[in-house]
Amino acid sequence: MVLAVKPPAAGKSRLRGALPGVPHEALALALALDTATAALACADVAEVVAVTGDAGAAAALAALGVRTVPEPAGGGLNPAFTRGAAAATGRPVAALQADVPALDHHELTAALNETGARRSYAADAPGTGTVLLTAPLGVPLDPRFGPGSAKAHAASGAVPLDGRWPTLRRDVDTAADLAAAAALGLGPHTARLVGYGAGMQGTVATYDPDSRSGTVLLDDGSELSYPAAAFDASGLRLLRLGQRVRIEQDPSGVVTRLTIPTMP
């Protein structure tokens, strides 16, 4: 599986400002990390290769278990996918857009299972772009990503994949796309930033009055720790177990403040 990851500070320009208070490069990178995480979890993916010219993105992706390959001179999405495909020798190859943060690895598996021994593509939700392009062993990937890529891939002989797969087809280019992906369920990296930008909520699971720290149970069932500094910043005198709170985080995910939801 090949991902092409632009430098986060420069990529996803139409998404800039979608999450007030969240650095654009943090959001762009989170999309790629959640896409890579889902691809790594897919039973039919032997390896994920990311082509990128950004050292920070390469390091973050490598930490997940992704093999990184330098971006070709001159950049460009299709040359990047071609380079990544060349690095994945001896096996079928697939190119996946790096901006599908709600991707369910089961849907990716289903799509790959439909490809068979043919070059295939999956269009995005609007039907004009391409989120996934596959090629069997011995067949060139021949990527034609860009405006109108679904039609371009069809014209090149690739066969459309017809499964519904809403999380696979939901790529994110705009704030509206991000909201649609959030409704499907975001991966952890993007969800953390959306929570930071919008203010997540949860209930107090534990609170130690001596250390002024504890944990909050989020609505998805996961538990999040908060330090004394976050309690001190809240202006509250105490927290009760089961109390509903709003959670503010910095872009790294550290809880910085807890407040009562009705408070500004």
Side-chain angles (χ1 to χ4, degrees):
M1 182 67 65
V2 180
L3 307 180
V5 181
K6 292 182 180 180
K12 311 308 300 180
S13 59
R14 287 190 289 159
L15 199 58
R16 192 172 296 277
L19 294 179
V22 174
H24 176 74
E25 57 270 23
L27 177 55
L29 179 58
L31 302 180
L33 294 177
D34 281 330
T35 303
T37 297
L40 288 165
C42 178
D44 289 350
V45 173
E47 180 184 37
V48 177
V49 176
V51 182
T52 183
D54 186 87
L61 288 159
L64 295 178
V66 174
R67 178 158 68 100
T68 60
V69 176
E71 188 178 56
L77 190 59
N78 291 316
F81 278 129
T82 299
R83 169 164 286 189
T89 56
R91 59 176 69 125
V93 67
L96 177 65
Q97 291 279 32
D99 60 353
V100 281
L103 179 60
D104 182 328
H105 67 274
H106 297 294
E107 289 190 8
L108 180 57
T109 298
L112 293 175
N113 286 340
E114 278 204 16
T115 62
R118 54 187 185 170
R119 185 165 160 270
S120 308
Y121 73 95
D124 59 11
T128 56
T130 303
V131 290
L132 177 71
L133 175 68
T134 72
L137 183 62
V139 175
L141 184 63
D142 189 16
R144 304 191 179 197
F145 289 89
S149 63
K151 184 178 292 186
H153 284 130
S156 73
V159 177
L161 298 171
D162 296 327
R164 183 170 174 266
W165 310 315
T167 71
L168 172 62
R169 297 187 188 277
R170 183 67 279 163
D171 59 343
V172 172
D173 290 314
T174 66
D177 294 340
L178 182 60
L184 294 169
L186 295 167
H189 299 89
T190 310
R192 184 179 300 121
L193 295 183
V194 169
Y196 165 70
M200 289 190 298
Q201 293 189 16
T203 56
V204 177
T206 64
Y207 169 63
D208 183 346
D210 293 327
S211 66
R212 306 186 316 286
S213 62
T215 58
V216 174
L217 187 66
L218 302 181
D219 293 339
D220 65 1
S222 60
E223 208 168 54
L224 185 66
S225 299
Y226 59 88
F231 174 77
D232 294 342
S234 71
L236 301 172
R237 299 181 64 181
L238 57 86
L239 289 172
R240 294 178 288 99
L241 301 188
Q243 185 174 17
R244 192 76 176 166
V245 291
R246 184 172 59 200
I247 304 149
E248 297 178 16
Q249 297 172 283
D250 66 18
S252 69
V254 174
V255 178
T256 57
R257 188 179 180 224
L258 300 173
T259 59
I260 304 304
T262 53
M263 294 174 58

